[in-house]
Structures are given as C-alpha cells and as structure tokens.
Amino acid sequence: LFNRIRHHGTHPSYKNLIEGKAKLALVARQPSADELQMARNSNVDINFMPIAFDALVFIVNTNNPTVGLSSEQIRSIYTGKITDWQEVGGPAARINAYQRNRNSGSQELMEKLVMEGQEMIQSMDLAVPISMIGPFNALIRDQQGLGYTVWYYNTMMTRLPQVRTIAVDGVAPCVASIGNRTYPFASEVVLAWIDDLAEGSPEQIIRDWLLSDDSSAVIRESGYPPVRNTSEQTPAGDSLKAAPKE
C-alpha cells in the first residue's frame, strides 16, 4: 500500500485524480474553478468530504514587531490600499506582500476566504510560485514582508524560528481556535476520490475509515482538529459532486 502513496501539491493531486493517475487524495481545499472545468472536460466526477480543519495563516519575520492584523487590514494590504507598516501600527517601512501562484492551495484559500472578490495586487517581485516553502524563504530574509500559508504546514512541517504567525481579528491560530472556528480563516482538509473505487481496494478501505468516527482520534493525534466531535461538525454522508457531466 505504501508504495502506492505519493506526495503532490494540491493542484497536481486534483490533476492526478482527473487524469486517472490516482483514485484518492488528501488536499487542503475543495476543487478550484479551473479544476472543476478540467473535470467537466474529462467527463469525471470528483467526490469530496471535509475530514479535518486547517487554516490560512499570515506569517512575518520574527523580528517584525507586528502581533496582529484585522481582516480588513489584510485585504487592504493585498489590494494595495495599505502599503506601509506604519499604517497598521508598525514602524515606517514598506510592506512587501508576498503571494502564491494560481491554483496553489494557499492562493485559492486566500482568494476564497480573505479577498471577498477583491482583486489582489500584481507584482512579479513578490510572487513566490516555487512551492509552499517559498514564502518562508522570502520572509527569512525580509523583515518588511508579509506572507500566508496553511497552519499545519507552518506548525508541523517547517517550524522555522525566523518566521512566525500573527493574530487575525485578535485571534491567534491554534488547535482550539481553528477547531471551534473562532479563528476567522479556518478551512477544511478534504478527502477527494473518484467514483469507481473497487470494492475492497485499499483506496476504498482508507476512504471509508477516514469518513468514519473511528478516524477522529488519529486525525487529532496527527495535529489536525478533526471535523467530527467539534462544535462545527459536518453531517456524515454529505458528499458533494465536484462537477456535473455535460
């Protein structure tokens, strides 16, 4: 079974499902508009169900004195209305607002959860498309920078002392605030699969277990707040279709 498990980014994972190269995926978000169109073009149905909570978090260099921003301040920074840290209570210095690439997990979450339909500023100098580590590499060297990533990646996978998260609307991202949805940009970790899972296959067994109540303890042990057994429980069996066939 472990020989059949591969690590990919969010968009490549959906692409592999659509192209039949994978049958099951754990991803940081629901399919993007581009991925839904790819599924329609390929006459493929993708089912997806949230199994855990994660969050979009904002990160700065540890030497940046900013402890928090409001949701509106973040939107104003990323639309270019606010350009200096002094405007949000910091020292006089230009804000370097780093962005991820289209269809990356964190970029899709940024546009969906934060921007509320407002267009983000475009700057080739501040784009970090290489991988999830890109914003961290930029912020290690840039005390004036602001970036975003997903909470689990920052907390469980990078743990770089030169970079830290900030609070949003007065709430710091942590297991409790993400699990009870008091942190404003909480999101869902999604299990996605295609329709034709063979009866008794490893993919079907893993899917059914992850969608059961039995998986909650393991999900919590891994560091994620599970969807089940939280105050914002998702009803069991509420599977969604990614795209209707035309």
Side-chain angles (χ1 to χ4, degrees):
L1 173 59
F2 289 104
N3 291 332
R4 299 166 69 171
I5 298 174
R6 296 289 185 270
H7 175 266
H8 297 279
T10 305
H11 180 62
S13 294
Y14 276 117
K15 191 168 181 286
N16 285 341
L17 283 176
I18 293 167
E19 294 176 352
K21 297 176 182 177
K23 294 182 178 295
L24 195 70
L26 283 171
V27 282
R29 56 166 174 77
Q30 294 184 7
S32 69
D34 290 343
E35 290 151 359
L36 291 174
Q37 187 60 54
M38 288 173 59
R40 281 192 289 269
N41 292 344
S42 298
N43 202 33
V44 169
D45 282 324
I46 301 176
N47 303 279
F48 49 91
M49 178 75 77
I51 63 168
F53 290 124
D54 203 336
L56 184 74
V57 298
F58 289 83
I59 51 177
V60 295
N61 184 285
T62 303
N63 293 321
N64 186 321
T66 304
V67 296
L69 294 168
S70 70
S71 299
E72 186 56 41
Q73 285 173 331
I74 292 170
R75 277 188 290 274
S76 294
I77 289 169
Y78 277 95
T79 55
K81 296 175 183 176
I82 292 177
T83 60
D84 197 289
W85 285 107
Q86 194 172 33
E87 299 176 73
V88 292
R94 173 192 169 190
I95 300 175
N96 296 323
Y98 293 99
Q99 300 183 36
R100 287 298 316 282
N101 53 296
R102 181 181 175 88
N103 281 318
S104 67
S106 54
Q107 185 66 19
E108 291 292 324
L109 290 174
M110 178 68 174
E111 294 176 3
K112 177 181 178 181
L113 299 177
V114 182
M115 296 310 296
E116 296 184 345
Q118 298 183 50
E119 187 173 351
M120 298 175 69
I121 53 176
Q122 301 296 317
S123 172
M124 293 298 295
D125 294 336
L126 299 176
V128 282
I130 297 174
S131 68
M132 292 182 72
I133 199 64
F136 293 87
N137 289 337
L139 290 170
I140 286 172
R141 302 184 299 270
D142 187 358
Q143 295 184 28
Q144 298 174 210
L146 175 67
Y148 46 86
T149 187
V150 290
W151 172 82
Y152 189 90
Y153 183 78
N154 174 72
T155 305
M156 300 295 181
M157 300 177 71
T158 57
R159 298 183 178 182
L160 295 173
Q162 304 97 325
V163 178
R164 62 174 176 82
T165 60
I166 59 174
V168 178
D169 294 337
V171 181
C174 65
V175 171
S177 64
I178 293 169
N180 63 23
R181 311 303 290 270
T182 55
Y183 178 74
F185 299 139
S187 61
E188 296 170 337
V189 178
V190 175
L191 178 68
W193 68 94
I194 58 174
D195 277 338
D196 60 342
L197 295 185
E199 185 71 26
S201 66
E203 292 87 359
Q204 186 205 44
I205 293 170
I206 292 172
R207 179 202 63 187
D208 291 350
W209 180 77
L210 283 171
L211 296 180
S212 74
D213 292 337
D214 293 339
S215 67
S216 294
V218 174
I219 292 171
R220 186 179 293 107
E221 183 179 352
S222 74
Y224 284 109
V227 166
R228 289 172 175 78
N229 301 321
T230 68
S231 60
E232 294 291 336
Q233 181 171 331
T234 297
D238 187 21
S239 183
L240 301 173
K241 292 289 186 181
K245 295 180 179 180
E246 296 180 347

